[in-house]
């Protein structure tokens, strides 16, 4: 059996949830490895819509196990809301969800600390999801974070909580961002109650995953966000605070690279971004608005309109290299159905020269000139098509064009939000990885 990483190759929201839900049928365990409830992975099953934030999308497949790895930051209140919503929708979670004992705990004070960067004069506003994700990862890296294992030990938890919160209050008061509503003793009691609810699900998930792999089980690793939001390889500082790229699957779960058999990237047939930051192929015109409407490009977590633009092949070549994609899933092909011509960025130019590498600074990325080639649209519905042969020939040509400019095969095509609105290409590396 195989262990495969699936992750976003753009700026998030590529349709990972839908694809993971589909592919999880072929795996035993689905594991999230980074991020927190900043993620919003949408899955439609018939009439039912699920938006998964902390829990892997594989939870929706009966009998599959779901793991929240050590690389995540967990807001227990958000996690319990998610568990309750799933249980009341008829999805059993007990004894199927396992929470890493080394994952970090996110507190309301982390949301308060986020005001330190967001919207403060003199600071670059990232346009975060305001969930406190960055400040929680800051505590982790500064070695003052509270971990799930600490939360479960009342004496340890109380001591850690009081000391960390005292610091935060002092800083927040000094900066004028202190939230008077923050009732620290009440929150501490609440978290102690949360601890009792999650206790049965907490374990050493690295040991669990490695044991399962030794026993021949197949694990699907579900990335959150996307490579261009990765803390090391994305458009820094307009990134999230975790390792969203393929390497994060190993650091975030404790499964070694030698156990990984393949990496699958997910990309839209165009591209979107939520929040601030450079975006070379952004379509700021009426066509961009049309894609937003047709693609329903509004954030699954914050409801913010997503910025829309054209497929960016240099960006894909970069993320393919960082992650070593074996195969790509191209989603939302149907959203482009009515276009007469589809521009695709095939290269970046700057100061009259074609770039061979992704620029490293925001200032440089903001000033690249995308070189576009126009590909004829198919102007007929592809919505719901589930076999490659049924696709209009111009849609096949568009996909072949993307393949040739990315240097990676398109092994799977999504033509609608539901499971069955998908094409897995016969003979592809992707088909081989999931069989
Ligand atoms: P994720 O964060 O990568 O899981 O993606 P999101 O769930 O945030 O956003 C993707 C959106 O596109 C969701 O509303 C999906 O239901 C929807 N979606 C996924 N694939 C397709 C597709 O092929 N066609 C259409 N029309 N919608 C899709
Ligand atoms: P999924 O998993 C798209 C973006 C935010 C912001 C930046 C930093 O659904 O693809 P953060 O709150 O993480 O500190 O915000 O990252 N962002 C996402 N954009 N999809 C996501 O997750 C995102 N998670 C964070 O909009 O620009
Ligand atoms: Mg999303």
């Amino acid at each position: 059996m195989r262990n495969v990483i699936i992750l976003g190759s753009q700026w998030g929201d590529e349709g990972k949830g839908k694809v993971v839900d589909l592919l999880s049928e072929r795996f035993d365990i689905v594991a999230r490895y980074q991020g927190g409830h900043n993620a919003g992975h949408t899955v439609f099953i018939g009439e039912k819509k699920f938006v998964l934030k902390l829990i892997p999308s594989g939870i929706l497949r009966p009998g599959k196990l779901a793991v929240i790895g050590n690389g995540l930051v967990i807001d227990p209140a958000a996690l319990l809301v998610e568990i309750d919503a799933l249980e009341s929708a008829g999805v059993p979670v007990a004894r199927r969800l396992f929470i890493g004992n080394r994952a970090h705990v996110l507190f309301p004070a982390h949301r308060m600390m986020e005001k330190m960067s967001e919207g403060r004069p003199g600071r670059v506003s990232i346009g975060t999801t305001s969930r406190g994700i960055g400040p929680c990862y800051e505590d982790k890296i500064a070695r003052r974070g509270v971990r799930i294992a600490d939360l479960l030990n009342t004496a340890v938890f109380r001591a850690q909580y009081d000391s960390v919160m005292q610091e935060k209050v002092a800083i927040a008061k000094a900066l004028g961002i202190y939230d008077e509503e923050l009732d620290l003793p009440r929150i501490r009691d609440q978290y102690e109650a949360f601890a009792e609810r999650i206790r049965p699900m907490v374990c050493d998930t690295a040991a669990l995953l490695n044991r399962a792999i030794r026993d021949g089980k197949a694990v699907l690793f579900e990335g959150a966000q996307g490579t261009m939001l990765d803390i090391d390889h994305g458009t820094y500082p307009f990134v999230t605070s975790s390792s969203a790229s393929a390497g994060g699957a190993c650091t975030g779960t404790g499964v070694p690279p030698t156990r990984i058999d393949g990496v699958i990237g997910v990309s839209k047939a165009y591209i979107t971004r939520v929040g601030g930051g450079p975006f070379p192929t952004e379509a700021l015109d009426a066509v961009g608005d049309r894609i937003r409407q047709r693609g329903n490009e509004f954030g699954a977590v914050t409801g913010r309109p997503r910025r829309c633009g054209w497929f960016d092949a240099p960006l894909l070549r970069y993320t393919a290299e960082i992650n070593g994609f074996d195969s790509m899933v191209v989603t939302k092909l149907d959203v482009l159905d009515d276009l007469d011509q589809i521009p695709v960025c095939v290269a970046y130019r700057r100061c009259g020269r074609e770039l061979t590498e992704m620029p490293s600074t925001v200032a440089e990325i903001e000033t690249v000139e995308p070189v576009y080639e126009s590909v004829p649209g198919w102007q007929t519905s592809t919505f719901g098509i589930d076999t490659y042969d049924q696709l209009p020939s111009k849609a096949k040509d568009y996909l072949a064009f993307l393949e040739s400019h990315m240097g990676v095969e398109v092994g799977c095509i999504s033509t609608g939000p539901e499971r069955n609105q998908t094409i897995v290409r016969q003979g592809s590396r992707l088909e081989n990885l999931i069989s």
Side-chain angles (χ1 to χ4, degrees):
M1 288 303 264
R2 292 170 182 270
N3 306 306
V4 175
I5 304 169
I6 183 151
L7 77 146
S9 61
Q10 300 171 320
W11 279 291
D13 300 329
E14 295 91 347
K16 300 175 291 293
K18 173 202 157 150
V19 179
V20 168
D21 167 64
L22 178 81
L23 301 187
S24 56
E25 190 186 9
R26 311 290 187 95
F27 293 81
D28 301 294
I29 305 177
V30 181
R32 272 278 305 272
Y33 56 87
Q34 43 67 239
H37 66 312
N38 49 349
H41 296 181
T42 315
V43 181
F44 280 93
I45 302 175
E47 298 290 290
K48 281 191 184 165
K49 177 184 176 182
F50 298 89
V51 180
L52 295 143
K53 293 169 182 151
L54 282 157
I55 301 180
S57 307
I59 197 80
L60 301 173
R61 291 272 180 188
K64 307 294 174 183
L65 302 186
V67 166
I68 296 180
N70 292 328
L72 276 88
V73 289
I74 302 175
D75 178 337
L79 177 61
L80 290 168
V81 166
E82 206 172 326
I83 292 173
D84 290 344
L86 284 169
E87 294 269 7
S88 58
V91 179
V93 175
R95 287 179 293 285
R96 294 179 58 219
L97 177 67
F98 299 90
I99 303 167
N101 52 9
R102 295 171 173 86
H104 278 249
V105 183
L106 191 149
F107 295 97
H110 289 127
R111 284 192 283 281
M112 172 177 79
M113 297 315 281
E114 196 146 6
K115 292 190 209 132
M116 205 159 106
S117 51
E118 295 297 292
R120 256 184 101 230
R123 285 291 294 266
V124 180
S125 179
I126 306 295
T128 68
T129 58
S130 309
R131 297 292 184 269
I133 304 292
C136 187
Y137 275 115
E138 276 178 44
D139 278 355
K140 168 179 170 169
I141 299 299
R143 295 159 298 179
R144 58 173 173 253
V146 175
R147 303 193 300 171
I148 294 287
D150 307 323
L151 177 66
L152 298 190
N153 180 325
T154 309
V156 170
F157 172 59
R158 285 189 183 175
Q160 278 188 351
Y161 178 85
D162 291 347
S163 113
V164 172
M165 291 306 145
Q166 258 172 29
E167 262 179 45
K168 298 215 182 304
V169 169
I171 296 169
K173 281 189 173 159
L175 293 175
I177 56 166
Y178 182 64
D179 178 358
E180 300 289 345
E181 312 262 288
L182 207 67
D183 184 343
L184 292 175
R186 193 178 61 85
I187 293 168
R188 195 181 69 180
D189 291 348
Q190 270 176 353
Y191 272 62
E192 286 177 15
F194 294 151
E196 292 321 307
R197 278 204 62 197
I198 64 169
R199 189 182 293 280
M201 297 175 234
V202 175
C203 69
D204 183 335
T205 47
L208 179 149
L209 287 168
N210 284 304
R211 199 162 46 236
I213 291 171
R214 273 197 302 277
D215 291 346
K217 302 274 192 266
V219 181
L220 183 60
F221 298 85
E222 175 178 356
Q225 290 80 55
T227 309
M228 295 309 283
L229 289 171
D230 180 282
I231 185 75
D232 293 301
H233 305 292
T235 45
Y236 190 90
F238 295 95
V239 292
T240 191
S241 301
S242 67
S243 298
S245 51
C250 294
T251 55
T253 59
V255 172
T258 45
R259 298 288 176 273
I260 305 296
D261 299 296
V263 184
I264 298 173
V266 186
S267 160
K268 284 178 186 167
Y270 47 98
I271 190 166
T272 62
R273 167 162 217 171
V274 204
F279 187 170
T281 64
E282 184 165 14
L284 291 164
D285 54 6
V287 195
D289 291 341
R290 206 154 90 213
I291 293 178
R292 185 173 307 109
Q293 294 309 325
R294 274 191 64 98
N296 192 23
E297 296 295 358
F298 297 89
V301 171
T302 57
R304 290 179 291 176
R306 295 174 182 152
R307 299 157 67 192
C308 297
W310 303 115
F311 192 90
D312 184 336
L315 181 147
L316 251 296
R317 288 196 288 273
Y318 172 68
T319 60
E321 179 157 284
I322 297 292
N323 296 297
F325 292 140
D326 292 297
S327 186
M328 293 298 303
V329 181
V330 172
T331 61
K332 304 192 101 163
L333 187 70
D334 55 294
V335 173
L336 302 182
D337 280 350
D338 67 344
L339 296 178
D340 169 28
Q341 291 288 322
I342 309 171
V344 174
C345 169
V346 294
Y348 289 163
R349 287 177 73 81
R350 213 170 151 266
C351 307
R353 280 215 309 272
E354 193 166 309
L355 304 185
T356 52
E357 286 169 11
M358 175 62 65
S360 59
T361 65
V362 168
E364 287 168 300
I365 303 173
E366 270 173 349
T367 51
V368 297
E369 304 152 33
V371 179
Y372 288 106
E373 279 190 33
S374 188
V375 184
W378 42 93
Q379 296 192 287
T380 176
S381 175
T382 60
F383 186 74
I385 288 183
D386 59 2
T387 61
Y388 186 71
D389 290 346
Q390 279 177 286
L391 284 178
S393 63
K394 284 181 177 159
K396 290 179 188 165
D397 293 345
Y398 180 70
L399 294 166
F401 188 85
L402 301 190
E403 265 180 342
S404 71
H405 284 277
M406 291 187 288
V408 185
E409 70 160 32
V410 174
C412 177
I413 301 133
S414 172
T415 56
E418 295 203 30
R419 274 178 187 167
N420 57 356
Q421 296 171 323
T422 319
I423 302 164
V424 174
R425 283 176 82 178
Q426 288 176 0
S428 63
R429 292 183 77 178
L430 185 141
E431 188 192 45
N432 184 40
L433 276 174
I434 61 167
S435 53

